[in-house]
Amino acid sequence: MIQAPAPPPPSRRRHDREIISLAVPAFGALVAEPLFVMVDSAIVGHLGTPQLAGLAVAAALLTTAVSVFVFLAYATTAAVARRVGAGDLASAIRQGMDGIWLALLLGIAVIAVALPAAPWLVDIFGASDTAAPYATTYLRISSLGIPAMLVVMAATGVLRGLQDTRTPLYVAVGGFAANGALNAGLVYGAGLGIAGSAWGTVIAQISMAVAYLIVVVRGARRHGASLRPDAAGIRASAQAGVPLLVRTLSLRAVLMIATAVAARLGDTEIAAHQIILSLWSLMAFALDAIAIAGQAIIGRYLGADDAKGAREACRRMVQWGIVSGVVFGALIVLARPLFVPLFTSDRTVQDTLLPALLVVALSQPIAGVVFVLDGVLMGAGDGRYLAWAMLVTLAVFAPVALLVPVIGGGLTTLWWAMALMMTVRMVTLWLRTRSGKWIVTGATR
């Protein structure tokens, strides 16, 4: 007689419930973010290959300009979650408000640089003469939405730290719907071309920021947290984010190098690279949902002085990451005939991207481990190690990627270099997690 499998231990079931309750809404919110770029790519791609190539360069620059400040979300999540674990909600929200004010100041500074420097930045990326005007137009208009996106990051960090990933989901879904409708209407209905796509995205981003601010301000008033900017608090938030800024700059340098190499391979290659990068980002954000759960859960356990719970949660999330990576890799392979034509009807672009897409599918299980362990160490506030680990990864990746035009193999070889990058990240993060040095309990690290 076949016996039923033994039920999982209570601790595993508890961790699964926590992971699911936080990761599922986070998954929806995170997937909505790259879908902004994917919608732009799909709409602009049908305007022509030069327009899509221009979008590829501008999108890489904009994503870099926003993502280098991702510490506004990550550091805030960890800090707020620790204080939640320690039972100090007023202090937790006050920490978040400091992050929001810092986000607004940084966003204004980025606009001041991006507007006059747009043509120079596009030229550095190696955009062709046909693609450069479109890239410059998109970059200048879309940069106006950067302050809103940074505010969204900081406010999202506050809510995640408070163990609330549902509100970010609702806001993200609303923003995605608005972005799609505005893009279609302004690009084709109003005949604004690539400029219409940029304006539609900016309007959607500002609307999202307003929605977040309403939620956070209500929470601050309910718990008696001050809304006024505090110079010391803003400065402390900036200092806490420096290691994560170094880590993120290194990661963005990897992606910028990859895009620059693809741009120099030709318009067909950079157009194909943009499509693959959009899909890769979609998978990355999806896997990062477990990492977001990790940041909130690990921070809460460590704030409550529960080192054992933190270790158990880490182990279980790694298992989730591996399984999720396998599933996403299989989906890429099986669904590629369906989604590739949505981005471009150019057969040359399609033929160029398909082999590289298979490399992305094969590397998804590795990515699953990387994103989970990244989230665990962020939740623990182990930013210093994350910074050094990413610098090592950049040092390995850069020379390999820059040799792609010499080695040959085009875009496929470039994405094998990306797979190497993810493998190096996995090794460095696994070594740190195994050491146990990331486990520091208390309301602050």
Side-chain angles (χ1 to χ4, degrees), residues 96-407:
M97 289 303 305
D98 292 334
I100 290 173
W101 280 109
L102 175 62
L104 186 60
L105 294 173
L106 291 173
I108 294 171
V110 172
I111 286 181
V113 173
L115 286 178
W120 177 73
L121 292 171
V122 167
D123 183 63
I124 283 196
F125 256 67
S128 67
D129 292 340
T130 56
Y134 297 111
T136 301
T137 296
Y138 192 93
L139 179 59
R140 278 181 166 160
I141 296 172
S142 291
S143 65
L144 300 176
I146 289 177
M149 288 310 295
L150 297 190
V151 168
V152 166
M153 281 186 178
T156 300
V158 178
L159 297 178
R160 288 173 181 169
L162 293 171
Q163 317 294 295
D164 175 12
T165 56
R166 291 183 180 275
T167 300
L169 170 61
Y170 301 147
V171 175
V173 170
F176 169 69
N179 180 64
L182 288 166
N183 270 259
L186 294 175
V187 172
Y188 297 117
L192 296 180
I194 196 170
S197 177
W199 279 117
T201 300
V202 168
I203 295 170
Q205 290 167 343
I206 293 174
S207 300
M208 292 174 65
V210 170
Y212 271 113
L213 287 174
I214 290 172
V215 174
V216 173
V217 167
R218 285 177 178 173
R221 288 174 174 169
R222 184 164 54 249
H223 294 285
S226 174
L227 297 173
R228 295 181 179 179
D230 177 69
I234 294 173
R235 185 167 54 252
S237 294
Q239 292 172 346
V242 169
L244 288 181
L245 176 61
V246 172
R247 170 259 183 200
T248 304
L249 283 172
S250 301
L251 178 57
R252 296 312 308 176
V254 165
L255 299 179
M256 290 177 71
I257 289 171
T259 299
V261 171
R264 283 166 173 77
L265 293 175
D267 279 3
T268 297
E269 285 75 10
I270 185 60
H273 177 74
Q274 170 62 16
I275 294 171
I276 296 174
L277 191 60
S278 296
L279 293 167
W280 186 82
S281 298
L282 174 62
M283 296 296 102
F285 277 108
L287 291 170
D288 205 28
I290 304 173
I292 295 301
Q295 292 174 32
I297 293 171
I298 295 297
R300 194 187 75 239
Y301 274 123
L302 295 178
D305 295 322
D306 188 353
K308 180 182 177 182
R311 290 191 186 93
E312 291 177 348
C314 173
R315 188 179 305 112
R316 188 57 177 162
M317 282 182 283
V318 168
Q319 295 170 355
W320 276 70
I322 294 172
V323 173
S324 298
V326 171
V327 171
F328 290 139
L331 285 175
I332 291 174
V333 173
L334 295 175
R336 71 186 189 279
L338 300 176
F339 61 71
V340 170
L342 296 176
F343 293 98
T344 179
S345 56
D346 189 324
R347 289 294 305 176
T348 304
V349 175
Q350 292 181 9
D351 292 341
T352 300
L353 69 84
L354 286 175
L357 199 59
L358 294 177
V359 177
V360 174
L362 290 173
S363 65
Q364 287 306 295
I366 295 173
V369 176
V370 168
F371 283 102
V372 166
L373 294 183
D374 213 32
V376 167
L377 296 184
M378 285 182 187
D382 201 10
R384 188 181 297 273
Y385 180 83
L386 289 171
W388 282 108
M390 199 60 228
L391 286 171
V392 170
T393 301
L394 175 60
V396 173
F397 171 78
V400 176
L402 294 174
L403 285 173
V404 166
V406 178
I407 296 172

